[in-house]
Amino acid sequence: MLLPVVLWGSTPPSHTISSLYLSRDDKILISGSTEGQLLVCDVFTDALIPRYILVGHSAEVIGIDQLDSGLNNLHVISASSNGEVFRWNVTDGAYMSSTVVQGPLTKIQTLPSSQNILICGQYGAMTVLDHSTLEVKHHLVPSDPSHWVLCYTVFQPPKAKDEEVVCMTVNGQIKTWNLQAECREKVILESETKILNCPRPVCVTYNPKSLYNCLVVCQSIWRIYRAGDFVLLCSGSSNQEVPWSGGKFYTVDKIMLWRENGELYIFKLPARAIRPVDHSDASWSAEPPTYLHRISTGPLMECLLVHKKSKRTPHDIVIRGDRDGRLSLWKQEREKDISTEGLVECIHTSLSEMWDQENVAIVNDKCEKCGVPLDITSSVYLEALSYLACGLSSGDIVVGLVHNFLTHALFKCDVDTDEIDTRVRLKGHSGSVSVLLYPHSNQPSAYQPNILYSGGVDFSVKIWDWKKGKLLQSFTTHTGPVTRLFLPPTQATGKLRGSVVSVCQDNSIAITTHSLVVPLFVGSCHHTSVLEIRWRLAEDILLVHCLDDTVYVWGLSTGHLDRIETGAVALSLISACQTVSEGEHCKLEITNSADTARLSTGLSVVPFRFSQVDNLSHMVLFDTELLLHLLTQLQTNIFTNELKRTKSNISEKRGRVSARADQRQVDRRSSIIKQTETAKLLEERSVTSELTVEETKSTEENEENDDTKDRFDVVKLTCSLLLSCLHAWGVDLNIDRTCVKHLGLMVPSRELTYGTVGSSSTFMLLLPGWEQRIHKQTPTTVQPPFGRWCLSSSLTTQHLLSVSALANKQMSTDLTLSFNRRSRNLVVKREDKTREREEMMRQSINESEKKAGWSHVTALHCIVLPEHVPPGYCSPLLTHLALKWQDRCMEVREASQALFLRELRRIGFAGRQQLVNQWYPYIVRKRDPVPPEPLEKLYSMELPLVPDYFAKFINRPTKSRSSVSVEDEDLPADSYPVSVIILGVIVSEFPDEVEVSSVRNHVASPNRRDVIRSSFLLTHEMLRGVAAHLFSQLIKPPSQLPLHSPVRRASVDLIGRGFGVWSEFVNLTAVVMTLLELQTDPLVPIEIKKAIAQSGNIPGTGNKECLAAAATVRAAYQASILIANNKPQQTVTALSKEILTFKCDVEAGLSIQSLSVFPSSYHTILDKGRYPIYLLVQNIIEKTKARDLATIIVKIVEIMLFCIDTEQFKTRTLSELVPSLTKNVLIDYCSATQQVAVGSAEGLVHVFDVKSTKCTPLHAHNAPTSAVSFATNGRTLVTFSESEGRVSIWQSSSGLLSLMSPGPLKLVRMVDALPPLPQNHPSKSPVFKWEATKLVSLYLNDKTKKSFAV
């Protein structure tokens, strides 16, 4: 879960507008740029306010169009010239899906009725994509492949279901395709073709009002044709050298044309061109248009015409986007004549106009002469020690701890001059630093961590030892500014290992290393810019790929140019070579390698710019889950190291005592035996070497401990920075004061600009001034502290999850560290006891204040926040929380569950009903679950286990801007597991709102009074379907669902939580056995399983696969416990039945391997799952009431004897193995004979032989047995029944054979001890106590005592 915080540069990013789109509700304006980003602006009556930038395309955006999402969310589709097609949720700023179409694209548009996407490019055919999956549905192919489509339009005739696609080809032909709704063909040919005299067409469009005529604009002329037969109605030409670039219908009788130089013209059409007339008359001829108005204000890239019909803005509006990024809205009132009044510019905006010139950069250095802030021209993150190196326009390089830079740039703090002076400042460049490279990040084995490379506009490449602030080498081999620095492949050897390749603006390259004073290689005859460098190390060849697709082949050892290749030969050479790794990250892109390398401490700084002319901006990335993992792991390592140190100190003290005694003996012997000088010298050398080895080991251990503590401090500081950025400042002032005073958080000095990270390297980045939009939208209700929570549901979800999880983790970390400090204080002796007591008291008060502060922070963000935020609050996304319901990380899991349940309670019954109505159809669309495969196959299939954060990303639906947290849109098939989780949570947490029983209008809740309802969230049949699909998610094989995925864990947890509802629809035996199988995962060691059973938490050690498997084991364990507590008798009966079948089959001579082939067999699970069964039954014994336990006590003992190894009874008793079992008066164990006697509710007493696990039933009473007891020698057994009031005495046979093993027990006599008690009378808790070998007493809770001689 990556959370970005953006630090923009002093100047706005480049945004050269290439496409525009205004939403149908006239509230959001989207502009695409040649740099590849989308700018989203909010449209108000008097202002245009940029909201955020969507980053994802890597080329020019050629078109944007809207998709019908069903509710209030705005979903758009965008395409770039290189074939990328993205689907966005603009309302929420979230990436949804994407695809890549082959070939360069020129236009994109959605079809009106089907909402499918039509695209065309620089090739013959057009392509139709499915709007939900972005898969290709049709290809619109012309009969002649050479007739490329240059422009097209789509219209739907009135009262027609089919859509018509009309396009203009490169040779002036007009073609028509008829798209039928039921068409299933992949390739569709044109239905009509007509030749028009329209050279080089640029656009074609129909009149949206009448559909009678269409406009065709060419570079030199424009024409109006009649729809259908394409009879020429009107035409015009361009009188200037600048060609036309586009046109649209302004009104029914007016058209608007524009040129690329910014001139916009409005013409009025003649009467015959706007209404149907008979053109068969020979005297008829086309009339010329009437010129009305002209506007010229700067270069124009795109113009969009919108007809306004709403009462809010009764104007015709023209929106234009300029080449310099300026957006303008022009209006013309309809009652006024456009020829006299013209268009009036009412609103305009651009990033440069609204940009905050006081943006704080990550490094705020000023020029020493004039005091002007210096621009950051390059930067690189040194993740080895969490340092950041920034190159400035003055030529200096500043290196310092990134946390200090962020603290002074973003938060209110007392600036310490000494702390700023501790930064390392490298001076050597005479101009701005253009590029920095830290090679240790990519190749740590080849480069030292203190080496830093830099290139500048002074034509030099310098090598630094940044820790010492020393310049190692300086090379001036180029004749222009250095633009990029590359690394050779990791396979490089010799002098190439540890070298760096530099690329200059004059297209020359050079290879340098810090070990030599001269460069290894220089090449400078490339005619175009260098794109990439590739290597063939085995042949000692270097290949340079240039912008014109020319490949220059150089000899590395000779330095000569061997040859120049172009065309197919050049492409084959490039594809056969290795690619070098580039050190500079210019584009805003996060790859897998960058994730793992640059986020090793949970924090990374990514420099980016959208074009080469932009100032450098920075994105600070925080990884919440990695921070939580690092805190757990480092905390465990510190505790382990301190424990080792304490043990070593104790052993050292003991060693000193023994060493003194040994030294005395040595002194006595040395006084008797005189040693020579050589022997003494050798002895001194040996002692010195031993001491040196011991000192080296202790030094290494101390350095390792110090590194662990330093890294832990860095991670703690990173968590404090993240919490300071995300905390809801201003909502509760008391909590704010606590955060600053006790928790170490800092108040931001300005409004921070946040963002979100989607898949496929997509980003949503807020722009400076986003708070103006909040004030403009609801100026009377929304105050500045609450503005962030009214921007985006995705942003709200990630921030609330991170704050809640980190606050809980910080609280537990502080408590653990304080416990460790107290433990150390107990070991260390101090002379001043009063001072020690005062210090411990002060620490205790500080710890309690910290604990209370963190709990308040958690409660504020999990519970209280929606009550303080106005109605514009963007609720968390339930889809995202559903996927985190059983996250591997405990803190994230608890936070997501708390937020999910809070949101369900907040929206009320009506909101939950809306959720059910929305998500249940996804279950209905899914076919019925197939019967489960044999459960033994879950672990037999050899498939890679997928951790949580590598699980398949499920495209989430986004939230409607209403008071109810409901997601909308037509989701792909991946939403099926999300729907199962959401409906499962609703049923499990609100059982009184579903129709559990088939009898309508009545629900019996175990915790509440019976309620009468006229409606339910889910009916009885709907519950049956949800239960079936939930169980299907549980038993899916790993080939369909990863074994340790969050979706499977969520299904496991929800089945356990709501088993009181699901029990009517699922097989209890199958569920319990599946959960037991999940607990037998071989990846999880038995130590972790014991820790899960004891505390419910997973230790923070082990690899990712082990932790993911442990999370599944934990979920299965807790679910089985919940099921057993809800249905104890049914659970014990099911286990007993399966164990009995298992024993019978084993006694019959069948092997477990032969039995596991049957789908209905659970023998393998029973054989491997003895320990999970033992834990499950032990929990049933502890949680079940005594009256209910009496009915199943015999089966419980039978199950426990099956789980316990008989060899353990040789050294341990039953009370030691199962303490909770022997506390029951119905059970007694005799260690002498190794027999267990169990009384039952039927009056029988079952005697189990521990060795053979055979059972002998004794008919002791005609009423329920109340107590049993063995004599010490095991030859006498007494039983008692309160309902009968009798004591039965049983004895084994005596004789010679009985000395080896006791014989069968026989009834000796029965004694009336007490008057019989009624059946419903409370028990007197009878207990037997043996006073002697042949004397036993019966004690009751009313202090009554009865003694009997046996």
Side-chain angles (χ1 to χ4, degrees):
M1 188 162 51
L2 298 178
L3 302 177
V5 177
V6 187
L7 285 83
W8 295 99
S10 57
T11 58
S14 300
H15 187 75
T16 306
I17 298 175
S18 60
S19 57
L20 289 172
Y21 182 77
L22 181 65
S23 62
R24 297 169 189 169
D25 58 359
D26 310 321
K27 294 181 179 179
I28 296 179
L29 176 63
I30 308 170
S31 62
S33 67
T34 57
E35 292 79 15
Q37 72 267 20
L38 302 178
L39 176 62
V40 181
C41 302
D42 290 283
V43 181
F44 299 99
T45 56
D46 57 347
L48 272 175
I49 300 179
R51 188 197 303 183
Y52 52 75
I53 285 180
L54 296 176
V55 182
H57 290 286
S58 58
E60 176 185 356
V61 179
I62 54 94
I64 308 168
D65 207 349
Q66 182 174 345
L67 294 171
D68 286 336
S69 58
L71 291 178
N72 296 334
N73 279 2
L74 174 60
H75 294 176
V76 300
I77 200 82
S78 63
S80 57
S81 58
N82 61 349
E84 297 173 342
V85 180
F86 282 79
R87 185 179 180 183
W88 308 88
N89 180 358
V90 176
T91 307
D92 198 48
Y95 161 85
M96 299 180 63
S97 59
S98 63
T99 187
V100 178
V101 182
Q102 186 178 4
L105 303 183
T106 57
K107 187 177 180 181
I108 185 171
Q109 184 177 350
T110 57
L111 301 177
S113 60
S114 63
Q115 286 298 299
N116 290 329
I117 305 160
L118 179 63
I119 57 177
C120 73
Q122 297 179 6
Y123 44 86
M126 293 187 292
T127 306
V128 180
L129 303 179
D130 185 80
H131 68 282
S132 58
T133 62
L134 297 184
E135 296 178 353
V136 177
K137 293 192 67 175
H138 310 292
H139 291 286
L140 307 184
V141 181
S143 56
D144 189 352
S146 63
H147 296 170
W148 286 12
V149 176
L150 294 183
C151 55
Y152 69 87
T153 185
V154 180
F155 78 100
Q156 188 172 9
K159 300 180 181 181
K161 296 182 179 180
D162 301 337
E163 298 165 330
E164 298 286 341
V165 178
V166 179
C167 68
M168 296 294 300
T169 61
V170 66
N171 59 349
Q173 291 185 356
I174 188 165
K175 294 180 178 292
T176 305
W177 278 267
N178 185 14
L179 297 181
Q180 300 178 359
E182 296 80 10
C183 181
R184 303 293 182 184
E185 299 179 358
K186 279 288 185 181
V187 178
I188 303 176
L189 298 177
E190 74 268 22
S191 58
E192 184 181 357
T193 302
K194 192 170 184 178
I195 300 177
L196 301 180
N197 188 15
C198 297
R200 294 176 296 176
V202 293
C203 88
V204 56
T205 181
Y206 273 80
N207 192 332
K209 296 296 181 180
S210 64
L211 295 179
Y212 166 71
N213 44 15
C214 71
L215 169 65
V216 178
V217 181
C218 302
Q219 293 185 3
S220 58
I221 61 172
W222 59 268
R223 291 178 177 179
I224 301 291
Y225 291 94
R226 185 172 64 182
D229 54 3
F230 295 99
V231 175
L232 181 63
L233 303 179
C234 182
S235 65
S237 61
S238 176
N239 298 326
Q240 299 182 8
E241 297 180 357
V242 181
W244 299 112
S245 60
K248 289 182 181 293
F249 279 93
Y250 184 58
T251 60
V252 177
D253 59 343
K254 299 182 184 66
I255 62 172
M256 181 179 294
L257 305 175
W258 59 89
R259 307 177 191 272
E260 291 185 358
N261 61 358
E263 295 181 349
L264 187 146
Y265 295 84
I266 298 178
F267 295 93
K268 184 176 181 180
L269 302 178
R272 294 185 178 183
I274 61 176
R275 63 177 181 270
V277 296
D278 186 12
H279 302 292
S280 60
D281 187 4
S283 62
W284 183 89
S285 62
E287 298 181 6
T290 304
Y291 167 76
L292 294 179
H293 193 66
R294 174 179 173 271
I295 304 174
S296 179
T297 56
L300 182 68
M301 288 298 296
E302 179 72 12
C303 181
L304 179 67
L305 177 65
V306 180
H307 293 282
K308 304 289 292 184
K309 290 186 176 181
S310 61
K311 297 181 180 179
R312 173 170 166 255
T313 52
H315 309 292
D316 292 336
I317 289 193
V318 176
I319 304 175
R320 55 175 291 166
D322 296 340
R323 188 175 282 109
D324 58 357
R326 178 185 172 92
L327 288 168
S328 304
L329 269 72
W330 300 73
K331 69 177 181 178
Q332 189 265 327
E333 298 182 3
R334 295 185 176 177
E335 59 271 11
K336 297 183 179 180
D337 188 5
I338 193 171
S339 61
T340 58
E341 298 293 335
L343 293 175
V344 180
E345 183 180 6
C346 58
I347 305 174
H348 61 85
T349 188
S350 65
L351 292 179
S352 58
E353 293 178 5
M354 53 77 58
W355 200 256
D356 188 357
Q357 302 299 332
E358 298 180 358
N359 281 338
V360 179
I362 195 169
V363 176
N364 298 317
D365 276 20
K366 296 183 179 180
C367 181
E368 298 178 356
K369 298 180 179 179
C370 58
V372 178
L374 299 174
D375 293 333
I376 302 175
T377 55
S378 60
S379 65
V380 64
Y381 181 57
L382 318 180
E383 67 277 356
L385 296 173
S386 297
Y387 274 68
L388 180 68
C390 295
L392 305 179
S393 57
S394 61
D396 296 347
I397 302 174
V398 180
V399 185
L401 187 65
V402 66
H403 301 83
N404 294 338
F405 288 151
L406 295 176
T407 300
H408 295 298
L410 300 178
F411 302 102
K412 297 178 181 178
C413 59
D414 297 332
V415 180
D416 190 358
T417 307
D418 296 335
E419 185 176 339
I420 296 178
D421 293 339
T422 57
R423 304 174 182 176
V424 179
R425 186 174 293 271
L426 308 176
K427 294 186 177 182
H429 286 283
S430 58
S432 62
V433 182
S434 57
V435 61
L436 290 172
L437 177 63
Y438 184 61
H440 181 75
S441 301
N442 298 322
Q443 299 182 19
S445 60
Y447 300 89
Q448 298 178 2
N450 60 329
I451 298 299
L452 179 68
Y453 282 78
S454 66
V457 297
D458 56 355
F459 311 164
S460 66
V461 176
K462 299 184 183 297
I463 307 175
W464 308 84
D465 185 344
W466 65 271
K467 290 185 177 181
K468 298 180 180 180
K470 181 180 178 181
L471 178 63
L472 300 179
Q473 295 287 350
S474 179
F475 301 94
T476 311
T477 58
H478 298 288
T479 59
V482 179
T483 57
R484 284 179 293 175
L485 295 175
F486 292 90
L487 296 179
T490 55
Q491 299 85 0
T493 57
K495 295 181 179 180
L496 284 179
R497 183 175 176 84
S499 62
V500 170
V501 184
S502 58
V503 179
C504 178
Q505 193 174 0
D506 63 355
N507 305 328
S508 62
I509 62 173
I511 302 178
T512 57
T513 181
H514 67 279
S515 59
L516 299 176
V517 296
V518 294
L520 296 175
F521 172 84
V522 177
S524 58
C525 64
H526 311 111
H527 299 295
T528 57
S529 301
V530 177
L531 291 181
E532 58 180 348
I533 299 175
R534 302 200 175 210
W535 307 73
R536 299 182 69 169
L537 298 177
E539 301 176 10
D540 198 25
I541 289 177
L542 175 70
L543 286 84
V544 180
H545 183 204
C546 295
L547 185 63
D548 57 354
D549 288 335
T550 304
V551 175
Y552 295 80
V553 183
W554 296 85
L556 284 175
S557 57
T558 61
H560 296 295
L561 179 64
D562 292 344
R563 64 186 185 274
I564 302 175
E565 300 291 350
T566 59
V569 178
L571 295 177
S572 62
L573 286 174
I574 293 173
S575 60
C577 296
Q578 303 173 6
T579 306
V580 301
S581 56
E582 185 177 356
E584 181 191 10
H585 296 270
C586 298
K587 295 183 179 180
L588 187 54
E589 184 177 10
I590 298 179
T591 59
N592 292 333
S593 60
D595 289 342
T596 55
R598 297 181 177 275
L599 292 172
S600 58
T601 58
L603 169 68
S604 177
V605 179
V606 180
F608 69 95
R609 54 166 62 97
F610 295 134
S611 67
Q612 293 298 327
V613 299
D614 292 345
N615 281 351
L616 199 64
S617 300
H618 294 82
M619 183 171 63
V620 184
L621 283 173
F622 297 92
D623 192 339
T624 305
E625 295 180 358
L626 182 57
L627 285 173
L628 295 171
H629 176 71
L630 289 174
L631 283 176
T632 304
Q633 186 178 19
L634 295 175
Q635 181 182 346
T636 305
N637 294 341
I638 291 175
F639 180 76
T640 304
N641 294 335
E642 290 182 354
L643 186 61
K644 290 181 180 179
R645 185 180 298 178
T646 303
K647 290 183 179 180
S648 64
N649 292 337
I650 295 174
S651 61
E652 184 180 355
K653 291 180 181 180
R654 293 176 180 175
R656 289 174 183 174
V657 176
S658 60
R660 291 173 184 172
D662 295 340
Q663 185 65 32
R664 294 171 184 172
Q665 296 179 2
V666 171
D667 292 340
R668 295 193 192 101
R669 292 176 181 178
S670 62
S671 61
I672 299 172
I673 303 173
K674 296 183 178 180
Q675 301 176 351
T676 60
E677 295 294 332
T678 307
K680 290 182 180 180
L681 182 61
L682 292 175
E683 183 180 0
E684 290 176 359
R685 289 180 179 177
S686 63
V687 171
T688 305
S689 62
E690 291 177 359
L691 291 176
T692 305
V693 172
E694 292 179 358
E695 290 177 357
T696 304
K697 291 182 178 179
S698 61
T699 304
E700 291 178 354
E701 291 179 357
N702 292 333
E703 290 179 355
E704 182 180 358
N705 296 338
D706 294 339
D707 292 341
T708 303
K709 290 183 178 180
D710 293 341
R711 194 180 178 195
F712 181 75
D713 294 338
V714 171
V715 174
K716 286 272 292 181
L717 185 56
T718 304
C719 293
S720 299
L721 284 176
L722 179 56
L723 287 171
S724 300
C725 293
L726 303 184
H727 176 67
W729 298 100
V731 177
D732 192 321
L733 298 181
N734 294 327
I735 296 180
D736 292 350
R737 285 191 287 268
T738 303
C739 292
V740 175
K741 184 177 180 181
H742 300 289
L743 305 183
L745 303 187
M746 297 170 288
V747 182
S749 58
R750 57 186 296 114
E751 290 290 344
L752 303 180
T753 51
Y754 304 96
T756 58
V757 181
S759 59
S760 302
S761 296
T762 58
F763 303 87
M764 184 275 286
L765 306 179
L766 291 176
L767 293 170
W770 58 263
E771 64 275 5
Q772 299 179 10
R773 168 187 170 267
I774 302 299
H775 300 321
K776 198 75 177 177
Q777 187 176 13
T778 50
T780 59
T781 57
V782 181
Q783 300 299 324
F786 314 111
R788 172 164 49 114
W789 312 107
C790 302
L791 288 173
S792 168
S793 294
S794 299
L795 198 67
T796 301
T797 306
Q798 295 184 7
H799 286 193
L800 291 181
L801 268 179
S802 299
V803 172
S804 303
L806 285 174
N808 285 328
K809 188 62 181 179
Q810 289 278 60
M811 179 169 57
S812 62
T813 303
D814 292 341
L815 291 178
T816 306
L817 293 178
S818 64
F819 175 77
N820 294 340
R821 285 195 298 267
R822 291 177 183 177
S823 301
R824 291 196 301 269
N825 292 338
L826 293 177
V827 177
V828 179
K829 295 182 180 180
R830 296 185 179 181
E831 298 179 356
D832 191 359
K833 298 294 183 180
T834 305
R835 183 179 179 183
E836 177 186 358
R837 193 179 299 110
E838 292 178 354
E839 184 177 353
M840 292 184 65
M841 182 66 68
R842 181 173 52 81
Q843 290 180 357
S844 177
I845 296 174
N846 189 19
E847 291 161 6
S848 62
E849 291 176 348
K850 282 186 176 182
K851 181 180 179 181
W854 289 123
S855 62
H856 289 160
V857 170
T858 305
L860 171 66
H861 294 85
C862 281
I863 302 173
V864 185
L865 186 62
E867 301 175 0
H868 290 78
V869 179
Y873 173 68
C874 292
S875 304
L877 291 173
L878 294 186
T879 50
H880 188 78
L881 298 177
L883 295 177
K884 297 290 185 181
W885 181 265
Q886 273 296 315
D887 192 80
R888 187 190 69 244
C889 181
M890 180 185 66
E891 290 79 12
V892 176
R893 179 176 64 248
E894 293 176 352
S896 62
Q897 292 179 5
L899 290 172
F900 200 116
L901 298 179
R902 189 278 311 271
E903 198 61 27
L904 289 180
R905 297 187 184 98
R906 186 184 69 86
I907 62 180
F909 181 83
R912 294 190 288 271
Q913 184 66 66
Q914 191 174 353
L915 278 176
V916 171
N917 296 339
Q918 177 193 355
W919 288 102
Y920 186 74
Y922 294 105
I923 292 182
V924 176
R925 296 177 196 171
K926 194 75 173 180
R927 61 182 182 180
D928 295 335
V930 296
E933 295 187 10
L935 297 180
E936 287 79 0
K937 295 183 180 180
L938 282 177
Y939 287 111
S940 63
M941 302 182 69
E942 297 180 358
L943 292 174
L945 302 178
V946 182
D948 283 355
Y949 50 88
F950 287 137
K952 187 177 182 182
F953 178 78
I954 296 181
N955 293 319
R956 53 186 181 273
T958 49
K959 192 189 74 63
S960 169
R961 287 192 174 272
S962 60
S963 59
V964 180
S965 174
V966 178
E967 290 78 11
D968 61 281
E969 74 171 337
D970 186 12
L971 290 174
D974 290 341
S975 296
Y976 162 71
V978 179
S979 62
V980 174
I981 296 174
I982 291 178
L983 295 176
V985 172
I986 294 176
V987 174
S988 302
E989 298 298 329
F990 301 93
D992 57 326
E993 297 181 358
V994 297
E995 189 180 12
V996 179
S997 175
S998 58
V999 182
R1000 297 190 58 83
N1001 300 334
H1002 183 270
V1003 178
S1005 176
N1007 300 326
R1008 304 181 185 179
R1009 295 178 300 174
D1010 290 354
V1011 231
I1012 304 297
R1013 285 193 178 274
S1014 58
S1015 61
F1016 296 94
L1017 293 178
L1018 288 96
T1019 63
H1020 189 265
E1021 291 301 321
M1022 295 170 68
L1023 278 178
R1024 184 184 302 277
V1026 175
H1029 287 275
L1030 196 63
F1031 183 68
S1032 175
Q1033 294 284 82
L1034 171 65
I1035 63 176
K1036 276 186 178 180
S1039 59
Q1040 300 179 13
L1041 183 66
L1043 189 60
H1044 304 303
S1045 66
V1047 175
R1048 190 188 295 271
R1049 287 199 296 269
S1051 301
V1052 169
D1053 178 74
L1054 294 175
I1055 285 180
R1057 285 174 180 258
F1059 196 77
V1061 180
W1062 313 124
S1063 58
E1064 185 179 350
F1065 311 102
V1066 297
N1067 187 354
L1068 183 142
T1069 303
V1071 172
V1072 173
M1073 300 308 293
T1074 305
L1075 296 179
L1076 290 175
E1077 184 191 14
L1078 291 175
Q1079 297 178 57
T1080 61
D1081 195 327
L1083 287 177
V1084 184
I1086 188 64
E1087 294 79 10
I1088 296 182
K1089 294 180 180 179
K1090 290 182 179 180
I1092 292 173
Q1094 293 175 359
S1095 62
N1097 297 328
I1098 302 174
T1101 57
N1103 54 18
K1104 297 175 182 178
E1105 293 183 357
C1106 178
L1107 293 178
T1112 304
V1113 171
R1114 175 190 174 278
Y1117 170 74
Q1118 293 185 346
S1120 61
I1121 294 298
L1122 292 174
I1123 293 174
N1125 293 338
N1126 189 276
K1127 304 287 183 181
Q1129 297 182 356
Q1130 293 87 335
T1131 304
V1132 171
T1133 303
L1135 290 174
S1136 176
K1137 180 180 177 181
E1138 296 298 329
I1139 290 174
L1140 180 61
T1141 305
F1142 175 82
K1143 289 181 178 179
C1144 294
D1145 292 338
V1146 172
E1147 290 177 358
L1150 299 177
S1151 62
I1152 297 176
Q1153 289 77 11
S1154 62
L1155 293 172
S1156 62
V1157 299
F1158 298 101
S1160 60
S1161 174
Y1162 298 110
H1163 289 38
T1164 306
I1165 301 175
L1166 293 174
D1167 186 57
K1168 296 181 179 179
R1170 297 175 187 264
Y1171 181 68
I1173 296 174
Y1174 167 81
L1175 296 176
L1176 180 64
V1177 177
Q1178 188 175 12
N1179 180 80
I1180 293 176
I1181 298 172
E1182 296 174 354
K1183 298 297 178 63
T1184 309
K1185 297 180 180 179
R1187 185 181 298 273
D1188 299 332
L1189 194 65
T1191 60
I1192 55 175
I1193 191 66
V1194 178
K1195 297 178 181 179
I1196 287 178
V1197 174
E1198 185 179 5
I1199 296 171
M1200 296 302 285
L1201 293 178
F1202 170 79
C1203 297
I1204 300 174
D1205 188 5
T1206 56
E1207 297 294 329
Q1208 297 187 16
F1209 285 99
K1210 296 181 179 180
T1211 57
R1212 305 173 66 183
T1213 63
L1214 185 65
S1215 59
E1216 296 175 349
L1217 295 173
V1218 192
S1220 58
L1221 193 63
T1222 54
K1223 295 178 182 179
N1224 197 308
V1225 295
L1226 292 176
I1227 302 174
D1228 192 30
Y1229 172 70
C1230 179
S1231 57
T1233 59
Q1234 292 189 354
Q1235 289 182 333
V1236 181
V1238 185
S1240 66
E1242 294 82 10
L1244 298 176
V1245 175
H1246 299 263
V1247 180
F1248 291 91
D1249 186 8
V1250 171
K1251 297 180 181 179
S1252 61
T1253 66
K1254 291 184 178 180
C1255 176
T1256 303
L1258 303 177
H1259 188 75
H1261 305 280
N1262 295 323
T1265 306
S1266 302
V1268 297
S1269 179
F1270 271 112
T1272 307
N1273 56 9
R1275 299 185 180 276
T1276 304
L1277 173 67
V1278 291
T1279 64
F1280 174 67
S1281 174
E1282 284 185 304
S1283 299
E1284 285 186 344
R1286 293 181 179 181
V1287 174
S1288 299
I1289 302 175
W1290 302 74
Q1291 289 184 347
S1292 61
S1293 60
S1294 59
L1296 182 62
L1297 296 177
S1298 64
L1299 296 176
M1300 301 298 296
S1301 61
L1305 292 171
K1306 296 182 180 180
L1307 180 63
V1308 178
R1309 60 193 176 96
M1310 301 183 70
V1311 181
D1312 293 332
L1314 296 171
L1317 291 179
Q1319 186 175 2
N1320 296 328
H1321 195 277
S1323 175
K1324 295 184 178 181
S1325 304
V1327 178
F1328 283 111
K1329 183 178 181 181
W1330 290 88
E1331 308 291 348
T1333 306
K1334 294 187 177 181
L1335 180 64
V1336 64
S1337 299
L1338 179 64
Y1339 290 88
L1340 305 177
N1341 56 5
D1342 57 357
K1343 299 183 180 180
T1344 303
K1345 175 183 178 183
K1346 296 288 183 179
S1347 300
F1348 307 95
V1350 297

